Amino acid sequence: MIEIVVAAFLLLGGFFALIAAIGVLRMPDVLTRMHASTKAGTLGSSLILIGCAIFKADAEITVRVIAIILFLMLTAPIGAHMLGRAAARDEKHRKAD
């Protein structure tokens, strides 16, 4: 039974990671690409990590997985925001020239 739950988390996480990769390739501009990669990429990696924590069923690994997921959820949007600001400023400077 645990294997089915772990497989579901891993497959769902892989699906969202694939969606993030396709979004990066298919979206027309920088801001929408970052949105696709940040949201779906964070969700996909979080689901994969949860699947690994369930599979191992160790308290130390579970604490590490929770810390990694919190770190991803805190840093990915901030990084994307900073990259978006830099891209918007670069675009503004290109139009001025």
Side-chain angles (χ1 to χ4, degrees), residues 5-49:
V5 174
V6 169
F9 273 105
L10 293 178
L11 287 173
L12 201 57
F15 173 73
F16 278 107
L18 178 67
I19 293 297
I22 291 171
V24 168
L25 293 174
R26 300 281 306 196
M27 294 296 171
D29 61 347
V30 174
L31 298 177
T32 55
R33 281 187 217 129
M34 285 188 323
H35 180 76
S37 67
T38 304
K39 303 295 182 195
T42 302
L43 179 61
S45 57
S46 296
L47 289 171
I48 290 171
L49 285 167

Side-chain angles (χ1 to χ4, degrees), residues 53-91:
I54 292 171
F55 181 72
K56 285 295 186 179
D58 184 25
E60 182 181 345
I61 291 175
T62 304
V63 169
R64 287 184 185 188
V65 164
I66 291 170
I68 292 169
I69 290 172
L70 288 175
F71 182 76
L72 281 173
M73 288 186 178
L74 288 173
T75 59
I78 294 169
H81 178 75
M82 298 308 286
L83 287 171
R85 285 184 61 185
R89 286 184 182 177
D90 185 52
E91 185 68 27

